[in-house]
Amino acid sequence: MSIRNSIAENIVDVLRDATDPQFVLVTRAPIDPGRLSNAQYPCVYVQTLDESREDDTMGTTTSTTLRQATLNVGLNCFVRTSPEMLDKARNDVIERVEEALDADRTRGGVAWDTQLISVTVGNELIEETIGQVQLTIQVLYKYTTGSA
């Protein structure tokens, strides 16, 4: 399995185990919040996004090269509650995600670091009781090419 995929799977597993609030649905398949039942909230869609890569070793004469990568992972989180509580529910999700991912910033030993770098609140309401927050998680890792 690729390191990108290992990182995404680790994030899914960690979020499935998170509590207060506990995610009912954590998936790598896109979510249509308008089709979910009330019992499926809060939920999160995890997807690997863009990545930058560069050589970490220069002038090597071997067939392998150590490279470093910065991977962005997008989390689209949805909550369902009363309109008066949407902001609190979104804030609770942001805090829970950051705390859960900070417990092991190495993503099970495959990464150097993990950080929440961006929070975007979705203002386009699907309906007035569903709120969205998009989080960007940045994961730094190293890998070796040519070692397969």
Side-chain angles (χ1 to χ4, degrees):
M1 179 181 336
S2 74
I3 294 176
R4 281 176 61 97
N5 202 52
S6 295
I7 290 167
E9 287 299 318
N10 174 273
I11 290 172
V12 167
D13 291 343
V14 166
L15 294 179
R16 280 187 180 139
D17 291 340
T19 58
D20 192 29
Q22 180 174 7
F23 291 102
V24 177
L25 174 64
V26 180
T27 181
R28 292 187 66 194
I31 294 173
D32 180 353
R35 292 182 167 209
L36 298 177
S37 72
N38 289 346
Q40 292 176 294
Y41 288 93
C43 58
V44 60
Y45 164 45
V46 177
Q47 64 177 329
T48 54
L49 301 173
D50 55 323
E51 179 176 32
S52 62
R53 296 178 173 196
E54 62 186 53
D55 287 350
D56 196 42
T57 54
M58 295 171 33
T60 181
T61 57
T62 65
S63 62
T64 62
T65 303
L66 183 62
R67 303 202 75 203
Q68 59 185 20
T70 303
L71 172 65
N72 289 324
V73 178
L75 306 180
N76 288 315
C77 306
F78 298 94
V79 296
R80 184 171 210 145
T81 188
S82 67
E84 301 81 27
M85 296 302 292
L86 275 181
D87 191 47
K88 180 187 180 317
R90 286 189 298 236
N91 290 338
D92 289 346
V93 163
I94 294 164
E95 182 178 358
R96 172 54 49 226
V97 167
E98 189 167 31
E99 287 175 355
L101 295 179
D102 277 354
D104 177 13
R105 288 184 166 213
T106 70
R107 309 280 45 94
V110 299
W112 275 10
D113 192 33
T114 302
Q115 293 184 40
L116 172 61
I117 61 164
S118 164
V119 175
T120 305
V121 174
N123 289 325
E124 297 141 18
L125 296 176
I126 295 103
E127 61 181 73
E128 66 181 19
T129 60
I130 299 175
Q132 178 184 13
V133 63
Q134 296 171 307
L135 309 176
T136 303
I137 308 299
Q138 187 177 72
V139 182
L140 308 174
Y141 70 95
K142 288 191 177 193
Y143 65 100
T144 304
T145 62
S147 61

